[in-house]
């Protein structure tokens, strides 16, 4: 097909379009006339509201009524419309940073000493807003003062530094007043919908508009509105009779009762969600409870004031970044940030921290650099190259807030971060984020509304529940402006309608609305537990109805609430039956039950645990807490370890630190010159080198205190380690000393043969338990016929240390290590097993000879007894189960003392063959 034939359809189509355009041109005057008739038929009018809720509800009402000529606006938006020229009112987010710059750049007469205080910019803007609302001019001689002069300088600074087209409220009002001649064409007739009051700032504008357009005001309440030049449409009200106030335990209980009330209304099949509202004068105390419980209830609830930014993923991403930026680097904080930051989620593999020990604190950039150095992606590229620049910026702190936000955040989270930086300094980011709210995207016209009373006045509903009718919450006391005390500007001149009076009027308007039914609610106690008296607004003509926490509601608000109210339904659930039986076994039965421990004979998990090599610590748990042994070894239960920067090491970790110093020091001294022949200076040099090594290496694997405290901790550990190396009498010439000597580690890749082969298997007792572990220190004579074992302790020395042999099974390590040495060094005829406490200068507690042999026999006998009991399914709590240092106590009943007293006799009877050990000295 030729090119000319391809063009023919296009030419034909163009001719057709030209003909159609000609017909349209001929008919254009007729069409324009018809359109003008339609435009003239639409009468333009504007409804003025206050608050987001009334704004959205009026738009929904216009859409439902097909009122195409209705415009909905607030007074600032009305003024901006009349001012024209793309003018807009200055909002809070725009003004706060400019005020902050004014405070830093200008000098003041009275505000100079406080202008750098946190939150000063917002406080100044709040004072300016009150002055503007009261229509007070800073050049008015009636209000001349140094304080107002300072505020006037800030106002002048704002005028000269605001973005183009943005006007302060007084300037916007004046510009709008000058444009009232165009009001009939631009806004039409005005109707003020349910505004309780109008600030003096806007009254000159309204007076000017009254001469041009018709103005009406649907004015609720009984305030004096004689200044209003238009027509007042007084709303009929009915006396607040037959009001019922539910008296609840606390704010959370109020929310529970409110949701039950809403569920009951919705269940009648007639009431719609759009007919229901829940409100209070201030939502702060109830808002978090409403957010959580509404999600649990799955009710359609619209949050008119928005939801907390921190309740969203975007807000949590900002919070994670602020946490690291302000509080410093740590593994936990960086892990959380990497899960929430859009940039890090995309730039790093999901398992990028797999090679870093979870116990490592990583509080310094250099710690991160050394830990990230060996980590690679699947393609071989370095993870450190991506992450280290970010970590270095995070280490800078709030000074890098802008750069960090632009780098790590995206979309909504970046918008929240920028908004928080506009509202306050980066150092206060954590506090600023808590005040940010995100608009609820649901439609209030189709949902139950959770709103402030001041907002609900403009959009009342047939069913309203008023919360917080206590003396502290409703009405609220008037706040004193910290920058405008009464001696600077009297309250009468500054405030047209006080907060207390506004709350009182809002209450009267809501309960007196003729088309609504109001239900009241109050708390007996505050969140802190303080007693709350009822509000003065409900002192008369209100019937109080107590609502206990445990009452059975007619309509539950959620599945959990339903099961709590209907115990017969809850008891039919298998999980509830299991809980009930467990609770009965714990609290009512004296004999041991399956919920106290025990299991079937030769349980595979227990057999598997017993076949694993055991340490001295696990065998102590076996002897003194068989149930804990099963939990730890058979079920793998462990307490979580959080890498939080501590101010001091816990006792166990501090003991590990001392042992590490001892090991490193002995390795440097042995074999030359040898510990027995080393001088004090040589020991000190070895300890100094060990301390330097630990100071650099431990922060990569452990959570350690801040640097100054960490160095002090190392010094204390060094002092105790030196005592451990210098306390001993000489064991003989030529003696070799070994530190942290492993044994029974068959899977070890090491080739250590001195003082024994660490891979040699150690089997003890008739039960064939395999033993493995690490002895703190072993001294071996040249002929290997004399061996001295030392077990270092960093805890407090017991008073009767010299009388301790097994201590009820708590000190079995000396006996177990002696048994090990007899198998590994069979030629040894003299074995000394010692406990060395490093907190005092007292002598070590040693066992040898017949006493040591009897301790070995007793230990082996009771290990066989404990193993036989486990094989037979006997495993109950022992003495260590109730000790404060037991990290598995959380798995036991909460009232441990009563549980122990109730069950102790039964436990002892079931484990009667093991009980004699617990009385051993």
């Amino acid at each position: 097909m030729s090119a000319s034939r391809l063009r023919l359809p296009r030419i034909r189509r163009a001719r057709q379009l030209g003909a159609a355009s000609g017909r349209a041109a001929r008919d254009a005057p007729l069409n324009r006339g018809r359109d003008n008739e339609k435009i003239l038929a639409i009468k333009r009018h504007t409804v003025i509201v206050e608050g987001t809720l009334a704004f959205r509800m009026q738009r929904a009402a216009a859409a439902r009524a097909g009122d195409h000529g209705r415009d909905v606006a607030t007074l600032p938006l009305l003024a901006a419309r009349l001012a024209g020229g793309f003018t807009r009112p200055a909002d809070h987010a725009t003004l706060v940073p400019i005020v902050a710059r004014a405070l830093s750049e200008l000098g003041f007469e009275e505000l100079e000493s406080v202008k750098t205080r946190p939150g000063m910019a917002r406080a100044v803007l709040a004072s300016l807003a009150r002055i503007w609302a009261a229509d007070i001019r800073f050049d008015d001689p009636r209000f001349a003062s140094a304080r107002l002069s300072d505020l006037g300088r800030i106002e002048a600074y704002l005028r000269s530094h605001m973005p183009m087209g943005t006007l302060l409220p007084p300037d916007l009002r004046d510009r709008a007043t000058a444009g009232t001649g165009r009001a009939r064409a631009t806004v039409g007739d005005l109707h003020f919908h349910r505004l309780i009051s109008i600030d003096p700032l806007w009254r000159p504008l309204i007076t000017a508009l009254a001469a041009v357009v018709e103005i009406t005001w649907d004015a609720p309440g009984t305030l004096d509105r004689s200044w209003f030049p238009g027509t007042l449409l007084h709303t009929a009200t009915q006396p607040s009779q037959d009001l019922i106030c539910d008296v609840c335990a606390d704010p959370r209980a109020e929310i529970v009762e409110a949701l039950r009330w809403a569920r009951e209304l919705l269940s009648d099949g007639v009431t719609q969600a759009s007919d229901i509202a829940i409100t209070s004068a201030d939502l702060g105390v109830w808002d978090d409870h409403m957010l959580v419980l509404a999600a649990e209830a799955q009710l359609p609830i619209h949050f008119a004031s928005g939801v907390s930014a921190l309740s969203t993923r975007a807000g949590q991403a900002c919070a994670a970044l602020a946490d690291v930026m302000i509080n410093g680097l740590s593994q936990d904080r960086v892990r959380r940030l990497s899960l929430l930051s859009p940039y890090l989620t995309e730039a790093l593999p999901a398992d990028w921290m797999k090679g870093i020990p979870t116990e490592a604190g990583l509080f310094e950039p250099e710690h991160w650099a050394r830990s990230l150095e060996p980590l690679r992606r699947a393609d071989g590229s370095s993870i450190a190259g991506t992450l280290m620049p970010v970590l270095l910026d995070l280490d800078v702190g709030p000074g890098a807030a802008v750069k960090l936000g632009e780098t790590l955040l995206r979309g909504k989270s970046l918008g929240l971060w920028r908004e928080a930086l506009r509202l306050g300094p980066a150092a206060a980011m954590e506090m600023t984020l808590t005040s940010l709210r995100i608009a609820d995207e649901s439609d209030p016209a189709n949902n139950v509304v959770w709103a402030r009373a001041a907002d609900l006045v403009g959009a009342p509903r047939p069913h309203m529940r008023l919360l917080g009718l206590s003396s502290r919450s409703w009405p609220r006391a008037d706040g004193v402006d910290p920058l405008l005390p009464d001696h600077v500007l009297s309250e009468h001149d500054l405030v047209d309608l006080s907060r207390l009076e506004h709350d009182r009027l809002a209450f009267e308007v809501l309960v007196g609305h003729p088309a609504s039914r109001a239900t009241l609610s109050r708390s007996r106690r505050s969140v802190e537990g303080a007693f709350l008296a009822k509000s003065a607004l409900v002192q008369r003509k209100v019937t109080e109805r107590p609502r206990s926490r445990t009452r059975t509601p007619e309509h539950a608000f959620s599945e959990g609430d339903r099961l709590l109210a209907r115990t017969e339904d809850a008891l039919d659930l298998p999980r509830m039956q299991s809980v009930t039986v467990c609770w009965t076994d714990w609290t009512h039965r004296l004999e041991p039950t399956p919920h106290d421990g025990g299991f079937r004979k030769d349980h595979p998990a227990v057999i598997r645990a017993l076949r694993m090599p055991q340490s001295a610590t696990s065998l102590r748990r076996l002897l003194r807490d068989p149930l804990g042994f099963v939990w730890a070894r058979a079920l793998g239960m462990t307490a979580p370890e959080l890498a939080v920067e501590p101010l001091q090491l816990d006792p166990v970790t501090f003991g590990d630190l001392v042992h590490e110093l001892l090991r490193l020091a002995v390795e440097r001294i042995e074999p030359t010159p040898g510990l027995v022949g080393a001088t004090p200076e040589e020991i000190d040099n070895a300890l100094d080198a060990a301390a330097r090594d630990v100071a650099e290496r431990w922060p990569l694997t452990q959570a350690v205190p801040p640097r100054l405290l960490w160095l002090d901790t190392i010094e204390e550990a060094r002092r105790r380690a030196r005592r451990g190396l210098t306390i001993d009498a000489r064991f003989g010439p030529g003696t070799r000393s070994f530190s942290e000597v492993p044994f029974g580690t068959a899977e070890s890749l090491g080739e250590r043969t001195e003082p024994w082969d660490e891979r040699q298997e150690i089997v003890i007792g008739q039960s064939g338990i395999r033993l493995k572990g690490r002895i703190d220190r072993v001294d071996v004579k040249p002929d290997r016929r004399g061996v001295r074992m030392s077990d270092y302790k960093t805890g407090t020395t017991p008073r009767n240390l010299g009388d301790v042999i097994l201590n009820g099974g708590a000190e079995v390590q000396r006996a177990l290590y002696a048994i090990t040495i007899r198998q590994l060094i069979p030629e040894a005829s003299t074995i000394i097993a010692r406990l060395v406490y490093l907190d005092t200068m007292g002598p070590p507690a040693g066992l040898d000879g017949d006493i040591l042999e009897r301790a070995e026999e007793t230990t082996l006998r009771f290990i066989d007894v404990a193993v036989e009991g486990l094989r037979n399914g006997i495993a109950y709590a022992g003495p260590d189960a109730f000790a404060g240092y037991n990290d598995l106590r959380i798995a036991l009943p909460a009232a441990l003392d009563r549980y122990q007293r109730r069950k102790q006799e039964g436990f002892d009877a079931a484990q009667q063959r093991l009980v004699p050990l617990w009385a051993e000295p």
Side-chain angles (χ1 to χ4, degrees):
M1 186 180 293
S2 66
S4 61
R5 293 183 62 186
L6 283 174
R7 287 195 294 268
L8 285 176
R10 298 182 184 178
I11 296 172
R12 189 180 301 115
R13 195 178 308 114
R15 290 172 179 172
Q16 292 171 353
L17 291 175
S21 299
R23 289 193 299 269
R26 290 192 303 269
D27 297 340
L30 179 60
N31 292 335
R32 281 198 296 268
R34 291 172 181 173
D35 291 342
N36 289 337
E37 290 177 1
K38 292 180 181 180
I39 293 173
L40 291 174
I42 298 175
K43 184 178 180 182
R44 179 183 295 278
H45 60 286
T46 302
V47 178
I48 305 300
V49 297
E50 184 175 12
T52 304
L53 177 62
F55 186 89
R56 298 184 67 174
M57 291 304 299
Q58 278 296 311
R59 294 187 67 180
R64 288 169 177 169
D67 189 353
H68 302 292
R70 184 191 307 184
D71 191 11
V72 183
T74 61
L75 276 168
L77 292 178
L78 171 67
R81 185 75 171 274
L82 292 171
F86 300 102
T87 303
R88 64 182 184 274
D91 58 12
H92 189 268
T94 302
L95 294 178
V96 166
I98 304 177
V99 172
R101 294 202 303 269
L103 290 171
S104 63
E105 296 177 10
L106 301 179
F108 303 100
E109 185 175 348
E110 286 195 355
L111 298 181
E112 185 67 26
S113 59
V114 295
K115 69 178 186 179
T116 59
R117 298 284 180 89
M120 189 61 182
R122 280 178 286 182
V124 168
L125 186 56
S127 298
L128 287 173
R130 299 183 75 185
I131 292 173
W132 293 331
D135 199 21
I136 295 176
R137 300 282 184 175
F138 289 104
D139 56 359
D140 192 331
R142 295 177 300 165
F143 308 112
S145 69
R147 183 72 54 84
L148 290 178
S149 177
D150 289 344
L151 294 175
R153 297 192 63 193
I154 296 176
E155 182 190 53
Y157 186 94
L158 288 173
R159 284 196 174 95
S160 60
H161 288 79
M162 282 192 306
M164 183 179 296
T166 304
L167 293 179
L168 296 179
D171 301 333
L172 182 64
R173 188 270 318 274
D174 295 341
R175 183 82 64 85
T177 303
T180 53
R182 302 183 296 272
R184 181 164 298 279
T186 55
V187 298
D189 293 339
L190 294 179
H191 174 68
F192 293 88
H193 180 69
R194 299 189 63 81
L195 272 64
I196 289 183
S197 66
I198 297 176
D199 291 331
L201 169 68
W202 305 110
R203 294 177 185 178
L205 173 61
I206 296 172
T207 301
L209 285 170
V212 181
V213 297
E214 182 181 351
I215 301 179
T216 57
W217 186 1
D218 178 12
T222 57
L223 284 180
D224 179 17
R225 301 181 176 97
S226 57
W227 64 268
F228 185 66
T231 303
L232 288 173
L233 306 177
H234 293 288
T235 303
T237 59
Q238 61 183 11
S240 54
Q241 296 179 354
D242 301 327
L243 289 176
I244 296 176
C245 181
D246 289 338
V247 183
C248 307
D250 56 20
R252 184 185 184 279
E254 279 195 88
I255 295 296
V256 169
E257 291 295 341
L259 294 176
R260 288 171 176 172
W261 169 81
R263 178 75 73 182
E264 180 179 2
L265 290 172
L266 292 173
S267 66
D268 64 9
V270 177
T271 305
Q272 302 294 320
S274 58
D275 297 333
I276 303 172
I278 306 172
T279 184
S280 183
D282 185 7
L283 307 183
V285 178
W286 298 270
D287 200 56
D288 289 340
H289 298 307
M290 177 62 81
L291 184 66
V292 174
L293 296 178
E296 180 184 345
Q298 297 183 356
L299 286 172
I301 296 181
H302 172 79
F303 288 71
S305 298
V307 297
S308 172
L310 294 182
S311 65
T312 65
R313 180 179 177 85
Q316 284 297 305
C318 294
L321 177 55
D323 188 21
V324 186
M325 181 184 71
I326 295 172
N327 298 317
L329 297 174
S330 76
Q331 183 173 176
D332 281 351
R333 297 184 188 118
V334 174
R335 278 182 183 269
R336 180 185 174 212
L337 179 60
S338 68
L339 294 175
L340 293 169
S341 165
Y343 169 76
L344 294 180
T345 303
E346 298 172 0
L348 298 174
D351 58 346
W352 69 275
M353 293 196 75
K354 189 175 181 180
I356 299 178
T358 57
E359 298 83 4
L362 305 180
F363 304 119
E364 301 292 339
E366 53 268 24
H367 300 163
W368 280 99
R370 293 173 60 185
S371 297
L372 294 174
E373 185 177 358
L375 302 185
R376 293 288 185 275
R377 294 185 178 86
D379 60 0
S381 59
S382 172
I383 291 178
T386 300
L387 192 58
M388 279 310 299
V390 174
L391 296 178
L392 292 174
D393 288 338
L394 288 169
D395 190 56
V396 172
V402 175
K403 181 181 179 181
L404 288 170
E406 299 292 335
T407 302
L408 299 178
L409 303 178
R410 301 283 188 276
K412 291 183 179 180
S413 59
L414 179 57
L416 287 174
W417 187 260
R418 290 170 175 169
E419 179 71 11
L421 288 177
R422 280 196 296 265
L423 294 178
M429 180 67 71
E430 291 178 318
M431 296 297 296
T432 308
L433 287 173
T434 60
S435 65
L436 292 183
R437 304 188 71 81
I438 297 176
D440 192 342
E441 296 179 357
S442 63
D443 191 344
N446 297 324
N447 291 272
V448 178
V449 163
W450 167 239
R452 296 184 303 115
D455 294 333
L456 196 59
V457 166
R461 297 197 166 191
H463 300 278
M464 296 183 290
R465 189 176 182 93
L466 283 58
L467 308 186
L469 268 296
S470 67
S471 56
R472 295 187 182 181
S473 303
W474 199 340
R476 298 166 293 173
D478 291 329
V480 177
D481 193 315
L483 299 181
L484 297 173
D486 197 61
H487 70 274
V488 174
L489 197 60
S490 70
E491 193 75 7
H492 175 74
D493 295 325
L494 187 62
V495 177
D496 179 61
L497 186 64
S498 67
R499 184 169 66 176
L500 186 147
E501 185 65 16
H502 196 285
D503 285 353
R504 185 189 65 80
L505 286 172
F507 175 81
E508 292 180 355
V509 169
L510 293 178
V511 300
H513 191 262
S516 300
R517 179 180 177 86
T519 304
L520 313 182
S521 171
R522 72 177 183 90
S523 300
R524 287 190 296 268
R525 300 279 180 177
S526 67
V527 176
E528 297 81 13
F531 177 78
L532 297 176
K534 62 182 178 180
S535 171
L537 300 176
V538 295
Q539 294 293 340
R540 300 176 182 176
K541 299 181 181 179
V542 174
T543 302
E544 291 198 338
R545 183 171 55 183
R547 296 295 196 184
S548 67
R549 288 179 182 271
T550 56
R551 81 178 186 92
T552 301
E554 296 79 6
H555 290 266
F557 77 90
S558 67
E559 176 67 7
D561 196 31
R562 183 185 71 82
L563 294 176
L564 185 64
R566 293 165 177 79
T567 55
E568 64 278 4
D569 292 350
L571 293 176
D572 288 340
L573 298 175
R575 65 180 183 273
M576 294 300 296
Q577 293 175 355
S578 176
V579 169
T580 303
V581 173
C582 177
W583 180 252
T584 302
D585 288 348
W586 278 352
T587 59
H588 293 84
R589 298 180 62 180
L590 300 179
E591 71 279 7
T593 69
H595 289 104
D596 299 306
F599 37 84
R600 65 184 173 89
K601 185 177 180 179
D602 292 330
H603 195 287
V606 175
I607 299 301
R608 185 169 56 251
L610 290 174
R611 287 175 179 170
M612 293 188 297
Q614 308 295 328
S615 66
T617 302
S618 65
L619 289 179
R620 167 184 167 158
R621 194 187 290 264
L622 171 66
L623 293 171
R624 291 184 57 83
D625 183 17
L627 180 60
F629 177 86
V630 173
W631 285 349
R633 302 290 290 179
L635 301 181
M637 293 172 58
T638 58
E641 297 184 7
L642 303 177
V644 178
E645 187 173 18
L647 294 180
Q648 64 179 11
L649 296 181
D650 62 81
V652 175
T653 308
F654 181 74
D656 294 341
L657 174 61
V658 174
H659 284 77
E660 182 71 359
L661 290 177
L662 289 167
R663 181 184 70 82
L664 294 174
V666 171
E667 287 179 354
R668 283 174 170 80
I669 294 175
E670 292 288 343
T672 304
L675 184 59
V676 295
T679 64
E681 290 77 12
E682 290 172 331
I683 293 176
D684 287 338
N685 292 336
L687 283 173
D688 289 341
R692 289 192 297 270
D693 182 44
V694 167
E696 295 180 1
R697 183 164 43 83
W698 261 49
L700 305 182
T701 58
Q702 301 282 342
V704 300
R707 180 169 181 79
L708 185 61
L709 296 176
W710 172 229
L711 296 178
D712 184 70
T713 302
I714 293 177
E715 181 58 31
E716 175 62 19
R718 181 190 176 283
R719 184 185 67 81
R720 297 198 182 194
R722 189 180 190 283
R723 166 170 163 72
L725 297 177
T726 58
I727 191 176
D728 300 320
R730 299 306 182 194
F731 196 48
T735 296
R736 289 288 307 280
S737 296
F738 305 90
S739 178
E740 298 294 321
V741 189
F743 62 87
T745 55
E747 70 282 0
S748 174
L749 299 178
E751 299 180 355
R752 181 170 183 167
T753 57
E754 293 187 9
W756 51 65
D757 183 358
E758 65 182 81
R759 292 173 291 186
Q760 180 178 335
E761 191 175 67
I762 308 298
V763 181
I764 62 173
Q766 299 297 321
S767 56
I769 291 293
R770 289 186 296 154
L771 190 63
K772 76 170 185 178
R774 190 181 297 270
I775 301 177
D776 293 344
R777 178 176 159 192
V778 177
D779 299 322
V780 183
K781 288 188 175 181
D783 57 3
R784 297 175 64 85
R785 300 183 62 82
V787 180
R788 182 174 65 184
M789 182 278 301
S790 300
D791 187 34
Y792 292 114
K793 299 290 185 181
T794 56
T796 304
T797 304
R799 293 182 179 179
N800 58 342
L801 180 60
D803 300 329
V804 171
I805 299 177
L806 293 177
N807 194 23
E811 299 290 352
V812 295
Q813 63 271 38
R814 286 182 296 180
L816 291 173
Y817 292 160
I819 295 170
T820 300
I821 291 172
R822 294 187 194 279
Q823 294 189 32
L824 294 172
I825 308 179
E827 61 269 28
S829 58
T830 300
I831 297 178
I832 301 174
R834 309 183 307 168
L835 289 178
V836 181
Y837 280 84
L838 303 179
D839 65 326
T840 65
M841 297 301 293
L847 296 179
D848 56 7
D850 294 340
I851 297 178
L852 179 59
E853 291 180 2
R854 285 196 299 271
E856 295 173 24
E857 294 173 0
T858 302
T859 301
L860 293 177
R861 174 161 54 87
F862 281 108
I863 287 177
D864 292 338
V865 169
V867 171
E868 182 181 356
L870 287 187
R871 289 182 178 273
N872 291 327
I874 302 173
Y876 299 104
D880 281 0
F882 304 99
Y885 54 77
N886 178 22
D887 53 5
L888 297 179
R889 293 175 71 200
I890 192 172
L892 292 170
L896 274 183
D897 293 340
R898 285 183 291 173
Y899 177 73
Q900 183 180 14
R901 289 195 300 268
R902 186 183 305 112
K903 294 286 187 175
Q904 188 67 63
E905 186 175 347
F907 290 162
D908 291 347
Q911 303 175 131
Q912 57 181 338
R913 296 182 58 196
L914 194 57
V915 170
L917 170 65
W918 302 338
E920 286 285 331

